[in-house]
Amino acid sequence: LSGCDSGFGQATARHLDIMGFQVFASVLDLQSPGAQELRQSCSPRLTLLQMDLTKTEDIQRVLQHIQAHTNSTGLWGLVNNAGFNDTIADAELSPLGKFRSCMEVNFFGSLELTKGLLPLLRSAGGRIVTVSSPAGDMPFPCLAAYGASKAALSLLMDTFRSELQPWGIKVSLILPGYYKTGTTCDPAFWNLQKQQLLSSLPQELLQAYGEEYVEEINQQFIQFMKVAVEDLSAVVNSITEGLLAANPAVRYYPGQGLGIMYFIHRYLPYFVRDLFLKGFFINPKLPRALRREHHKDVK
């Protein structure tokens, strides 16, 4: 189970431990408050492992540990939960490095971990449950770096689902609504990211879009996250069902409003979808350069 420092990973690790399973929970930092909390609240069966999904040596160390402890039994389930995003901005404003870091954690890290554990999962005819995002299915404004990595992750897991069927391995995707997890709801974190983005932007881009444009999308995102759900149990239950149900669903959609969102996405025209996502999530004001032209036209 990856990404157990906070959020879904931490809550799921605790839930599975209470159910009596042997859980291998990976955290970025063994001394983090989340890791300490798991140590205190869980049984000795739970093993905490330090892993940064961008570091092959970390992944290899975790793989060796799990292999040594499950060789005779095989591994019943892998939960790819670790996720990363630290950019709220238009694709043009998001540095290439931000796209790369999202891909490194959300896609390549999960790919390497999954491939490494497949021999154990095959011998047990086990399960793979992966937390993706509706942002990987729809063009949420200002989430291109994160959304593109989640789109790649979702497609990869769908491919594994099809390819691993003969081995008896079942693969499920979890596409949660908006929940309070980790730093996602910390305004101080997002304000810092915004300042770093502004200071890194080329002058020409800053002129075209305007500082107030970046401020505005950041404010709208912080407002949006205020209504994020604190109770993570719907997601934990979906992950658990993916691991334990005789016939788990291919996709789980825990969270409110996802039904209407996917209905609009599948059946209505593009302009309606875009309007809906802007109204629901972030609706940026016009960039500065376009506003200036508008004023000239008015005159």
PDB file of all heavy atoms in Angstrom, residues 13 23 28 48 51 78 110 126 138 164-165 181 194-195 217-218 246 255 262 285 298:
ATOM      1  N   ALA A  13      -4.693   1.770   5.370  1.00  0.00           N
ATOM      2  CA  ALA A  13      -3.746   0.917   6.115  1.00  0.00           C
ATOM      3  C   ALA A  13      -4.329   0.567   7.482  1.00  0.00           C
ATOM      4  O   ALA A  13      -4.309  -0.597   7.909  1.00  0.00           O
ATOM      5  CB  ALA A  13      -2.406   1.634   6.267  1.00  0.00           C
ATOM      6  N   VAL A  23      -0.236  -5.878   6.620  1.00  0.00           N
ATOM      7  CA  VAL A  23      -0.162  -4.721   5.723  1.00  0.00           C
ATOM      8  C   VAL A  23       1.274  -4.215   5.624  1.00  0.00           C
ATOM      9  O   VAL A  23       1.938  -3.997   6.644  1.00  0.00           O
ATOM     10  CB  VAL A  23      -1.081  -3.573   6.233  1.00  0.00           C
ATOM     11  CG1 VAL A  23      -0.984  -2.353   5.320  1.00  0.00           C
ATOM     12  CG2 VAL A  23      -2.527  -4.045   6.333  1.00  0.00           C
ATOM     13  N   LEU A  28       6.626   8.281   2.792  1.00  0.00           N
ATOM     14  CA  LEU A  28       7.773   9.067   2.310  1.00  0.00           C
ATOM     15  C   LEU A  28       8.784   9.263   3.422  1.00  0.00           C
ATOM     16  O   LEU A  28       9.979   9.283   3.193  1.00  0.00           O
ATOM     17  CB  LEU A  28       7.283  10.448   1.842  1.00  0.00           C
ATOM     18  CG  LEU A  28       7.325  10.760   0.352  1.00  0.00           C
ATOM     19  CD1 LEU A  28       6.884  12.193   0.108  1.00  0.00           C
ATOM     20  CD2 LEU A  28       8.703  10.514  -0.251  1.00  0.00           C
ATOM     21  N   LEU A  48       5.845  -0.659   8.408  1.00  0.00           N
ATOM     22  CA  LEU A  48       6.053   0.633   7.748  1.00  0.00           C
ATOM     23  C   LEU A  48       7.350   0.575   6.948  1.00  0.00           C
ATOM     24  O   LEU A  48       8.393   0.163   7.471  1.00  0.00           O
ATOM     25  CB  LEU A  48       6.139   1.756   8.781  1.00  0.00           C
ATOM     26  CG  LEU A  48       4.820   2.302   9.336  1.00  0.00           C
ATOM     27  CD1 LEU A  48       5.108   3.339  10.410  1.00  0.00           C
ATOM     28  CD2 LEU A  48       3.951   2.910   8.245  1.00  0.00           C
ATOM     29  N   MET A  51       9.579   4.793   1.340  1.00  0.00           N
ATOM     30  CA  MET A  51       9.714   4.704  -0.117  1.00  0.00           C
ATOM     31  C   MET A  51       9.359   6.022  -0.788  1.00  0.00           C
ATOM     32  O   MET A  51       8.283   6.569  -0.568  1.00  0.00           O
ATOM     33  CB  MET A  51       8.817   3.585  -0.681  1.00  0.00           C
ATOM     34  CG  MET A  51       8.915   3.450  -2.198  1.00  0.00           C
ATOM     35  SD  MET A  51       8.017   2.021  -2.858  1.00  0.00           S
ATOM     36  CE  MET A  51       6.317   2.468  -2.507  1.00  0.00           C
ATOM     37  N   LEU A  78      -2.115  -5.333  -4.091  1.00  0.00           N
ATOM     38  CA  LEU A  78      -1.298  -4.118  -4.167  1.00  0.00           C
ATOM     39  C   LEU A  78      -2.258  -2.945  -4.286  1.00  0.00           C
ATOM     40  O   LEU A  78      -3.172  -2.960  -5.125  1.00  0.00           O
ATOM     41  CB  LEU A  78      -0.386  -4.172  -5.403  1.00  0.00           C
ATOM     42  CG  LEU A  78       0.192  -2.836  -5.894  1.00  0.00           C
ATOM     43  CD1 LEU A  78       1.109  -2.192  -4.852  1.00  0.00           C
ATOM     44  CD2 LEU A  78       0.936  -3.014  -7.219  1.00  0.00           C
ATOM     45  N   SER A 110       4.277   4.126  -9.923  1.00  0.00           N
ATOM     46  CA  SER A 110       3.264   3.060  -9.800  1.00  0.00           C
ATOM     47  C   SER A 110       3.550   1.922 -10.768  1.00  0.00           C
ATOM     48  O   SER A 110       3.341   0.744 -10.448  1.00  0.00           O
ATOM     49  CB  SER A 110       1.857   3.620 -10.067  1.00  0.00           C
ATOM     50  OG  SER A 110       1.548   4.603  -9.101  1.00  0.00           O
ATOM     51  N   GLY A 126      -3.888 -12.562  -7.219  1.00  0.00           N
ATOM     52  CA  GLY A 126      -4.340 -11.469  -6.333  1.00  0.00           C
ATOM     53  C   GLY A 126      -5.007 -10.300  -7.033  1.00  0.00           C
ATOM     54  O   GLY A 126      -5.594 -10.431  -8.111  1.00  0.00           O
ATOM     55  N   MET A 138     -11.195  13.861 -17.591  1.00  0.00           N
ATOM     56  CA  MET A 138     -11.802  15.110 -18.072  1.00  0.00           C
ATOM     57  C   MET A 138     -10.801  16.253 -17.967  1.00  0.00           C
ATOM     58  O   MET A 138      -9.971  16.261 -17.069  1.00  0.00           O
ATOM     59  CB  MET A 138     -13.015  15.469 -17.197  1.00  0.00           C
ATOM     60  CG  MET A 138     -14.024  14.378 -17.080  1.00  0.00           C
ATOM     61  SD  MET A 138     -15.296  14.840 -15.891  1.00  0.00           S
ATOM     62  CE  MET A 138     -15.773  13.213 -15.320  1.00  0.00           C
ATOM     63  N   LEU A 164      -3.802  -9.237 -17.579  1.00  0.00           N
ATOM     64  CA  LEU A 164      -3.579 -10.140 -16.436  1.00  0.00           C
ATOM     65  C   LEU A 164      -4.766 -11.052 -16.157  1.00  0.00           C
ATOM     66  O   LEU A 164      -4.719 -11.879 -15.253  1.00  0.00           O
ATOM     67  CB  LEU A 164      -3.235  -9.313 -15.182  1.00  0.00           C
ATOM     68  CG  LEU A 164      -1.906  -8.542 -15.254  1.00  0.00           C
ATOM     69  CD1 LEU A 164      -1.759  -7.605 -14.064  1.00  0.00           C
ATOM     70  CD2 LEU A 164      -0.720  -9.509 -15.317  1.00  0.00           C
ATOM     71  N   GLN A 165      -5.830 -10.893 -16.957  1.00  0.00           N
ATOM     72  CA  GLN A 165      -7.026 -11.736 -16.775  1.00  0.00           C
ATOM     73  C   GLN A 165      -6.706 -13.233 -16.782  1.00  0.00           C
ATOM     74  O   GLN A 165      -7.172 -13.969 -15.904  1.00  0.00           O
ATOM     75  CB  GLN A 165      -8.033 -11.410 -17.882  1.00  0.00           C
ATOM     76  CG  GLN A 165      -9.432 -11.244 -17.361  1.00  0.00           C
ATOM     77  CD  GLN A 165     -10.333 -10.555 -18.378  1.00  0.00           C
ATOM     78  OE1 GLN A 165      -9.874 -10.122 -19.435  1.00  0.00           O
ATOM     79  NE2 GLN A 165     -11.607 -10.467 -18.059  1.00  0.00           N
ATOM     80  N   THR A 181      -7.203  15.620   1.843  1.00  0.00           N
ATOM     81  CA  THR A 181      -6.085  14.688   2.050  1.00  0.00           C
ATOM     82  C   THR A 181      -4.774  15.458   2.013  1.00  0.00           C
ATOM     83  O   THR A 181      -4.590  16.337   1.165  1.00  0.00           O
ATOM     84  CB  THR A 181      -6.044  13.611   0.950  1.00  0.00           C
ATOM     85  OG1 THR A 181      -5.886  14.262  -0.318  1.00  0.00           O
ATOM     86  CG2 THR A 181      -7.308  12.776   0.914  1.00  0.00           C
ATOM     87  N   LYS A 194       2.135  29.095  -5.495  1.00  0.00           N
ATOM     88  CA  LYS A 194       1.781  30.208  -6.399  1.00  0.00           C
ATOM     89  C   LYS A 194       2.941  31.208  -6.493  1.00  0.00           C
ATOM     90  O   LYS A 194       3.298  31.647  -7.594  1.00  0.00           O
ATOM     91  CB  LYS A 194       0.518  30.904  -5.875  1.00  0.00           C
ATOM     92  CG  LYS A 194       0.105  32.142  -6.658  1.00  0.00           C
ATOM     93  CD  LYS A 194      -0.872  32.985  -5.869  1.00  0.00           C
ATOM     94  CE  LYS A 194      -0.212  33.612  -4.653  1.00  0.00           C
ATOM     95  NZ  LYS A 194      -1.155  34.315  -3.776  1.00  0.00           N
ATOM     96  N   GLN A 195       3.533  31.548  -5.331  1.00  0.00           N
ATOM     97  CA  GLN A 195       4.661  32.506  -5.336  1.00  0.00           C
ATOM     98  C   GLN A 195       5.831  31.952  -6.144  1.00  0.00           C
ATOM     99  O   GLN A 195       6.464  32.670  -6.919  1.00  0.00           O
ATOM    100  CB  GLN A 195       5.125  32.796  -3.886  1.00  0.00           C
ATOM    101  CG  GLN A 195       4.119  33.555  -3.036  1.00  0.00           C
ATOM    102  CD  GLN A 195       3.649  34.853  -3.678  1.00  0.00           C
ATOM    103  OE1 GLN A 195       4.329  35.449  -4.514  1.00  0.00           O
ATOM    104  NE2 GLN A 195       2.440  35.289  -3.323  1.00  0.00           N
ATOM    105  N   ILE A 217      -6.892  32.232  -9.969  1.00  0.00           N
ATOM    106  CA  ILE A 217      -7.122  30.778 -10.042  1.00  0.00           C
ATOM    107  C   ILE A 217      -6.719  30.108  -8.732  1.00  0.00           C
ATOM    108  O   ILE A 217      -7.359  29.162  -8.288  1.00  0.00           O
ATOM    109  CB  ILE A 217      -6.421  30.112 -11.266  1.00  0.00           C
ATOM    110  CG1 ILE A 217      -4.934  30.410 -11.317  1.00  0.00           C
ATOM    111  CG2 ILE A 217      -7.092  30.491 -12.559  1.00  0.00           C
ATOM    112  CD1 ILE A 217      -4.210  29.756 -12.500  1.00  0.00           C
ATOM    113  N   ASN A 218      -5.669  30.642  -8.110  1.00  0.00           N
ATOM    114  CA  ASN A 218      -5.235  30.085  -6.823  1.00  0.00           C
ATOM    115  C   ASN A 218      -6.316  30.280  -5.763  1.00  0.00           C
ATOM    116  O   ASN A 218      -6.641  29.355  -5.003  1.00  0.00           O
ATOM    117  CB  ASN A 218      -3.926  30.753  -6.390  1.00  0.00           C
ATOM    118  CG  ASN A 218      -3.265  30.006  -5.242  1.00  0.00           C
ATOM    119  OD1 ASN A 218      -2.797  28.893  -5.408  1.00  0.00           O
ATOM    120  ND2 ASN A 218      -3.248  30.621  -4.075  1.00  0.00           N
ATOM    121  N   ALA A 246     -15.635 -10.822  -4.396  1.00  0.00           N
ATOM    122  CA  ALA A 246     -15.429 -11.944  -5.321  1.00  0.00           C
ATOM    123  C   ALA A 246     -15.316 -11.437  -6.752  1.00  0.00           C
ATOM    124  O   ALA A 246     -14.484 -11.895  -7.533  1.00  0.00           O
ATOM    125  CB  ALA A 246     -16.595 -12.923  -5.188  1.00  0.00           C
ATOM    126  N   GLY A 255     -17.699   9.373  -3.799  1.00  0.00           N
ATOM    127  CA  GLY A 255     -17.768  10.836  -3.703  1.00  0.00           C
ATOM    128  C   GLY A 255     -19.034  11.354  -4.346  1.00  0.00           C
ATOM    129  O   GLY A 255     -19.620  10.722  -5.218  1.00  0.00           O
ATOM    130  N   TYR A 262     -19.898  12.624 -14.805  1.00  0.00           N
ATOM    131  CA  TYR A 262     -19.590  11.657 -15.860  1.00  0.00           C
ATOM    132  C   TYR A 262     -20.714  11.598 -16.908  1.00  0.00           C
ATOM    133  O   TYR A 262     -20.451  11.378 -18.087  1.00  0.00           O
ATOM    134  CB  TYR A 262     -19.303  10.269 -15.271  1.00  0.00           C
ATOM    135  CG  TYR A 262     -17.852  10.108 -14.892  1.00  0.00           C
ATOM    136  CD1 TYR A 262     -17.392  10.416 -13.616  1.00  0.00           C
ATOM    137  CD2 TYR A 262     -16.910   9.684 -15.833  1.00  0.00           C
ATOM    138  CE1 TYR A 262     -16.052  10.312 -13.276  1.00  0.00           C
ATOM    139  CE2 TYR A 262     -15.573   9.566 -15.504  1.00  0.00           C
ATOM    140  CZ  TYR A 262     -15.142   9.872 -14.220  1.00  0.00           C
ATOM    141  OH  TYR A 262     -13.806   9.765 -13.910  1.00  0.00           O
ATOM    142  N   LYS A 285     -10.641  34.237 -14.900  1.00  0.00           N
ATOM    143  CA  LYS A 285     -10.970  35.470 -15.611  1.00  0.00           C
ATOM    144  C   LYS A 285     -10.123  35.518 -16.876  1.00  0.00           C
ATOM    145  O   LYS A 285      -9.201  34.719 -17.040  1.00  0.00           O
ATOM    146  CB  LYS A 285     -10.636  36.675 -14.717  1.00  0.00           C
ATOM    147  CG  LYS A 285     -11.596  36.843 -13.540  1.00  0.00           C
ATOM    148  CD  LYS A 285     -11.372  38.193 -12.871  1.00  0.00           C
ATOM    149  CE  LYS A 285     -12.543  38.571 -11.972  1.00  0.00           C
ATOM    150  NZ  LYS A 285     -12.762  37.654 -10.860  1.00  0.00           N
ATOM    151  N   VAL A 298     -13.557  48.425 -27.032  1.00  0.00           N
ATOM    152  CA  VAL A 298     -14.654  49.189 -26.432  1.00  0.00           C
ATOM    153  C   VAL A 298     -14.480  50.675 -26.764  1.00  0.00           C
ATOM    154  O   VAL A 298     -15.428  51.359 -27.119  1.00  0.00           O
ATOM    155  CB  VAL A 298     -14.722  48.950 -24.905  1.00  0.00           C
ATOM    156  CG1 VAL A 298     -15.710  49.907 -24.265  1.00  0.00           C
ATOM    157  CG2 VAL A 298     -15.130  47.524 -24.622  1.00  0.00           C
TER     158      VAL A 298
END
